[in-house]
Amino acid sequence: MFSILRQAGTTHVEERIATQYAMTADVPIASVRLEALGDYAVALREGATVPVGTVEFVRKAMSLARIADPPNMTYPDCLLPYLYRRVARRRAGSVLGRWFVKPVETKVFTGAVFDTLGNPDDLSFYDPAQYNAFLSLSPEIEVRIGEPVTWRSEVRYYVIDGEIRGEGRYDDGPDDAPVPDGQTVSEMVSLADLLRFRELRNALPKHRESSIRRNTI
């Protein structure tokens, strides 16, 4: 039997779903603040509890469980046409003008739109912390930049082995806001899964590659 560690003080959809699941499946659940996560280090190392919360919360839980961060994921080339905007990697010190800026390293900061040539006092309530985190980077550190866009909605999809296992709204907009077209999302998942298979095949010895090809025909 496992338990769930739900991050306290947050209201994201993942935490709400975890709470609902714990109630219906009679799974023990505890609300824990980030700074108190160390009290559960032994349970995390033994795999007896599952953390649910922000990236910072889960990364600290992984550290306590002695689990290394997975390799950082990037935008696959096959999905770039679906972004409908220019994206690029650039050294932090050379980002000039108004861009959406996101770290290459996993969640050094969340990512935000700001103008490096503008007045920092004009930033929204949320953005100053992101901007300051960006300014703290070495000028040589690479970041991702993209043309700013206006989102009508934001949806997170959970994909395992090329299959969509779940989805949920990730924004606070109105319930009747338009959502991504299901067929388009499926096309993207299929392309990304094909790329993953090719990368796996290329990484294997030739005799293993032949075995995989036979098993997938």
Side-chain angles (χ1 to χ4, degrees), residues 116-130:
T116 59
L117 301 178
N119 185 349
D121 293 337
D122 294 335
L123 294 171
S124 68
F125 173 80
Y126 167 78
D127 292 336
Q130 306 297 308

Side-chain angles (χ1 to χ4, degrees), residues 5-20:
L5 291 182
R6 179 194 187 279
Q7 184 175 6
T10 61
T11 58
H12 297 119
V13 63
E14 291 86 356
E15 288 90 336
R16 295 199 301 269
I17 291 174
T19 301
Q20 293 170 0

Side-chain angles (χ1 to χ4, degrees), residues 122-169:
D122 294 335
L123 294 171
S124 68
F125 173 80
Y126 167 78
D127 292 336
Q130 306 297 308
Y131 187 56
N132 290 333
F134 166 73
L135 292 179
S136 69
L137 298 176
S138 164
E140 300 302 314
I141 294 292
E142 280 197 327
V143 294
R144 293 191 179 93
I145 63 170
E147 294 175 302
V149 297
T150 299
W151 295 105
R152 303 183 70 182
S153 67
E154 186 175 2
V155 179
R156 173 178 289 175
Y157 292 87
Y158 299 88
V159 181
I160 301 176
D161 293 333
E163 180 182 347
I164 299 174
R165 300 292 184 89
E167 63 183 78
R169 284 283 298 276

Side-chain angles (χ1 to χ4, degrees), residues 72-185:
N72 185 61
M73 297 179 65
T74 185
Y75 304 109
D77 289 345
C78 62
L79 297 185
L80 291 180
Y82 294 91
L83 298 181
Y84 293 102
R85 62 194 184 279
R86 290 183 299 153
V87 296
R89 289 173 66 142
R90 187 170 295 176
R91 290 193 301 273
S94 65
V95 177
L96 301 176
R98 185 173 182 270
W99 296 94
F100 171 77
V101 184
K102 179 179 180 180
V104 170
E105 184 180 342
T106 304
K107 296 293 186 178
V108 174
F109 58 96
T110 304
V113 174
F114 41 74
D115 188 347
T116 59
L117 301 178
N119 185 349
D121 293 337
D122 294 335
L123 294 171
S124 68
F125 173 80
Y126 167 78
D127 292 336
Q130 306 297 308
Y131 187 56
N132 290 333
F134 166 73
L135 292 179
S136 69
L137 298 176
S138 164
E140 300 302 314
I141 294 292
E142 280 197 327
V143 294
R144 293 191 179 93
I145 63 170
E147 294 175 302
V149 297
T150 299
W151 295 105
R152 303 183 70 182
S153 67
E154 186 175 2
V155 179
R156 173 178 289 175
Y157 292 87
Y158 299 88
V159 181
I160 301 176
D161 293 333
E163 180 182 347
I164 299 174
R165 300 292 184 89
E167 63 183 78
R169 284 283 298 276
Y170 198 56
D171 64 276
D172 298 322
D175 292 339
D176 60 351
V179 296
D181 174 67
Q183 182 176 348
T184 302
V185 174

